[in-house]
Amino acid sequence: MIPSTMLAMVLEAPGTPLQLREVPVPVPGDNQVLIRIIACGVCRTDLHIMDGDLRSPKLPLIPGHEIVGVIVASGRDAGHFKAGDLAGVPWLAFTCGQCRYCRKGQENLCENALFTGYTVNGGYAEYVTAHAQYCFRIPPVYAAPEGAPLLCAGLIGYRSWRMIDPMAQYIGLYGFGAAAHILTQIARYAHKQIYAFTRKDDIGGQEFSLQLGTIWAGSSDQQPPVKLDAAIIFAPDGRLVPAALSSLDKGGQLVCAGIHMSDIPSFPYQLLWEERSVRSVANLTREDGELFFDIAAKATIQTTIERFKLSQANEALERLRSGLIKGAAVLVPDAQYQML
C-alpha cells in the first residue's frame, strides 16, 4: 500500500536549514519509477547546493542523490524495471539524447540534463520518482544503507579513476572522505599504491586511510615519499591544485573530482611543465555506473558509514562540513531506522 503523503527534508531557500515536511508522495510519469527509499547518502555537493555555491536549484527542493531503494510502482514505459526490483538513483537524472554532447557520447555534459536532488527532487525523503533509464540495478548486498555512498562517492570516484593512465602506479588522493575510502579499495584490487592527503590536523582520517590499505598518509602540505604518477582531488579547496602538482612526477596527471571548488591560486609554470596535466570531472555517464558496479562486486567493496535518521539531516550535513564523518554519512527514513 503506497501512502498519499511522506516525510521529506526540504530546502526552502539557499543558506537556510532543511525543514522536515509532510508532502505528497510523487506519482511516476510514463518513463519513471516510484522508489521506496532504503537510504540516501549525504554528499558534499548537497552542502554546495544549500550554501548557494551551485546556483538555480529547484525550489523548494528535496536534496539527495545517493539513493538505494525498492521500486513500488512504475509508469507504462518504464522499461525492464518492475515492482520489487532493487534500484539505485544517481546524480544524473535525465539527458536529452539530442544535443551535440549526447550525440558525441558525452551525456555527462548534456545541455539539457536534469540532476537528482538539484534540479529534480531527490532522496532526503521516504519516496522518490526517477527516470527508469537512469537508474541502476542494485545487487542485494548493496540494498542497505552501506550501498548508498556508491551512487555518487563511488561513481564519481570511479569516473576520476578512469581518467588516470592505467599504467599509473603511485596515486595520491587529496581529501580522504567518502569517495577516497571507496576508491582505495578499488586501487588495492588493481594492485596500485595509494597515498592519502588530509587536513593538517586530521590524524583520525590518516589512520583510517592506513587501515584501508594506503601506503602513506599525511597532510596536504606535505610531500609524499615518492613522486606520484597521478593524483585526484576530492576536497573542494583550490589551493590543493598547486600542492598536488608539486607532488607529481613528469607526465603526471591531476584530476579535480568535485563539482565545486574554491578559486585556484596562481602558481609557477614550472609546476605544470614536463607534460603534467590538469583536468576536471563533470557528472557521470550510465556507462560509468555499469562498469563501476561490475568492479565493485569483484573488489567486494565495503563502505564505512555513519547512520542518521532522515529527520537528522541537518546534523549529518554539519558533521560533514566539519570533517567529522569517517567514511560517509547516510540518511535512513525514521520509520525504518531501528530495523536496519
Side-chain angles (χ1 to χ4, degrees), residues 9 18 37-42 46 63-64 66 123-125 145 148 306-317 329-334 336-337 340:
M9 296 297 289
L18 301 179
I37 295 172
I38 294 173
C40 181
V42 178
D46 301 333
E66 300 181 338
Y124 285 18
E306 186 172 342
R307 299 186 193 188
F308 297 83
K309 294 179 181 179
L310 174 64
S311 58
Q312 296 174 314
N314 287 313
E315 177 185 342
L317 286 159
V330 176
L331 303 179
V332 176
D334 291 34
Q336 64 191 57
Y337 183 82
L340 292 174

Side-chain angles (χ1 to χ4, degrees), residues 51 87 200 242 244 252:
D51 293 346
K200 188 172 184 179

Side-chain angles (χ1 to χ4, degrees), residues 29-33 71 73-83 85 130-134 137:
D30 286 348
N31 300 304
Q32 293 184 317
V33 291
I71 293 175
S74 59
R76 62 183 179 181
D77 298 319
H80 55 284
F81 281 110
K82 62 183 185 303
D85 286 347
H131 287 271
Q133 288 184 310
Y134 294 83
R137 287 194 176 277

Side-chain angles (χ1 to χ4, degrees), residues 25-84:
V25 171
V27 177
D30 286 348
N31 300 304
Q32 293 184 317
V33 291
L34 175 66
I35 297 172
R36 177 177 59 78
I37 295 172
I38 294 173
C40 181
V42 178
C43 179
R44 187 165 292 276
T45 299
D46 301 333
L47 282 173
H48 294 314
I49 294 169
M50 292 180 61
D51 293 346
D53 296 326
L54 298 184
R55 298 184 179 181
S56 303
K58 171 193 177 298
L59 290 175
L61 173 71
I62 301 173
H65 56 272
E66 300 181 338
I67 305 165
V68 292
V70 181
I71 293 175
V72 294
S74 59
R76 62 183 179 181
D77 298 319
H80 55 284
F81 281 110
K82 62 183 185 303

Side-chain angles (χ1 to χ4, degrees), residues 179-212:
H181 100 286
I182 292 171
L183 195 53
T184 295
Q185 296 175 65
I186 293 177
R188 289 183 58 193
Y189 174 75
H191 306 292
K192 306 292 187 179
Q193 294 188 14
I194 294 294
Y195 296 78
F197 297 82
T198 71
R199 296 178 183 180
K200 188 172 184 179
D201 57 350
D202 190 6
I203 304 302
Q206 294 170 20
E207 292 176 347
F208 177 51
S209 79
L210 293 169
Q211 291 168 8
L212 287 172

